[in-house]
Amino acid sequence: MSFDPAQLAALDAVLRLGAFEAAARALHVTPSAVSQRIKALEDRIGTALIQRGSPCTATPAGARLARHASDIALLDAALARDLALPGTPARLRLAVNADSLAVWFLPALAGQEMLFDIALDDESHSADWLRRGEVSAAITAHARPVQGCDSLPLGWLRYIATCSPEYMARHFPDGADAATLASAPMLQFNAKDSLQHDWLREVTGQALSPPVHRLPSSQGFVEAARLGLGWGLNPEALVSEPLARGELVALLPGHPREVALYWQVNRLVAGALTPLTRAVRAAAAKALVPPE
């Protein structure tokens, strides 16, 4: 089955921009024309593709078809690149965890001949974006490939539990143990973030539930720890200098936590993404603990 490129472009624009009017402006057509293209595509598929709202979102069928349109654009762009033909950059949707984005991932995107649409999610959940067909590649903590994907080990992102010296003196005057860790305010990225709880279980052998501040920012995590709001696990690369200056201290210096990261990419577009995959692996090699 083949699809009308104009209809696929309308679907992609509505889902990417969240509104029919914005899609119309991007495509240089009227909102009515966008609506007609979407309706024709839905009639052909036999199901709704967009959930109207603010913003508009994809139905499961819409997400899958939008990913198909994105895959075709990536393959077309790769062919144009290989044949040295003029072309427009394809858009690649990725799922990446915040700490990778803050520490090492962005240099891999520099110099790539494509546009990026990055979905931010915890590394333990980013593979779900691949399963739903909403992205073509992801940084994930899962070694097992998502169906239809290849999984490549990147290395280990090392974390250190840190807090300010004043916070340490106030909450852990005799050192951090299960009793003090259970009551000291902790930093958490969001409700999905289990990194601190996993570390607590690892170092105490108990499932502790301390009070938490939720702060969805990698740099904000470091600053919040420095200001004494709470303690949290921060990537070593982000806290090495504050630790050296004495602005932060390690709760338990002998207990870092390392999270294995993998690059998973849809096999249909793996060839088209070869230059990016090479760049991702090179950037990871410079910043992460090497994979075993």
Side-chain angles (χ1 to χ4, degrees):
M1 178 183 288
S2 60
F3 297 96
D4 185 333
Q7 294 173 0
L8 291 178
L11 176 65
D12 174 74
V14 170
L15 296 178
R16 177 165 47 85
L17 301 173
F20 281 69
E21 294 77 7
R25 288 193 296 271
L27 297 174
H28 306 291
V29 298
T30 66
S32 176
V34 172
S35 295
Q36 290 171 12
R37 293 175 186 180
I38 297 297
K39 184 178 185 306
L41 191 55
E42 289 179 330
D43 287 345
R44 183 170 189 200
I45 298 298
T47 188
L49 301 174
I50 293 176
Q51 293 177 340
R52 273 67 169 174
S54 297
C56 293
T57 58
T59 65
R64 181 63 187 89
L65 194 56
R67 216 279 305 282
H68 173 74
S70 176
D71 289 347
I72 291 174
L74 288 168
L75 292 171
D76 286 346
L79 179 61
R81 181 188 67 224
D82 293 344
L83 297 180
L85 299 173
T88 57
R91 181 174 297 276
L92 175 64
R93 188 157 172 77
L94 305 165
V96 182
N97 61 306
D99 288 334
S100 288
L101 204 60
V103 172
W104 67 271
F105 187 70
L106 282 177
L109 307 185
Q112 301 295 322
E113 297 178 0
M114 59 181 65
L115 301 172
F116 296 102
D117 188 353
I118 297 176
L120 207 61
D121 205 348
D122 186 270
E123 64 274 5
S124 297
H125 299 270
S126 54
D128 293 338
W129 292 76
L130 284 166
R131 293 188 185 95
R132 294 193 301 263
E134 296 183 41
V135 300
S136 296
I139 300 294
T140 174
H142 299 289
R144 184 174 181 177
V146 172
Q147 185 175 5
C149 295
D150 293 323
S151 179
L152 302 173
L154 296 174
W156 300 75
L157 185 57
R158 179 175 291 156
Y159 290 84
I160 299 176
T162 56
C163 65
S164 70
E166 295 77 16
Y167 186 93
M168 187 76 171
R170 184 167 69 254
H171 291 279
F172 309 113
D174 299 317
D177 56 23
T180 53
L181 287 167
S183 60
M186 182 185 80
L187 302 174
Q188 186 181 32
F189 192 86
N190 57 26
K192 291 182 177 181
D193 176 19
S194 65
L195 186 65
Q196 280 71 218
H197 289 94
D198 291 343
W199 182 81
L200 286 172
R201 188 178 296 106
E202 181 180 291
V203 299
T204 69
Q206 300 180 36
L208 303 180
S209 298
V212 300
H213 298 287
R214 285 186 177 157
L215 182 61
S217 165
S218 296
Q219 288 83 359
F221 237 62
V222 177
E223 185 67 2
R226 192 184 68 78
L227 292 172
L229 269 72
W231 70 268
L233 283 156
N234 286 296
E236 185 178 40
L238 295 184
V239 295
S240 57
E241 292 186 8
L243 285 169
R245 292 193 298 264
E247 297 172 357
L248 291 173
V249 295
L251 265 68
L252 295 172
H255 293 276
R257 181 165 179 82
E258 294 180 345
V259 175
L261 297 177
Y262 300 84
W263 174 243
Q264 293 212 31
V265 58
N266 187 308
R267 291 193 193 104
L268 291 176
V269 295
L273 298 183
T274 295
L276 176 61
T277 295
R278 189 181 302 117
V280 168
R281 300 186 78 179
K286 292 179 181 179
L288 304 182
V289 178
E292 295 178 352

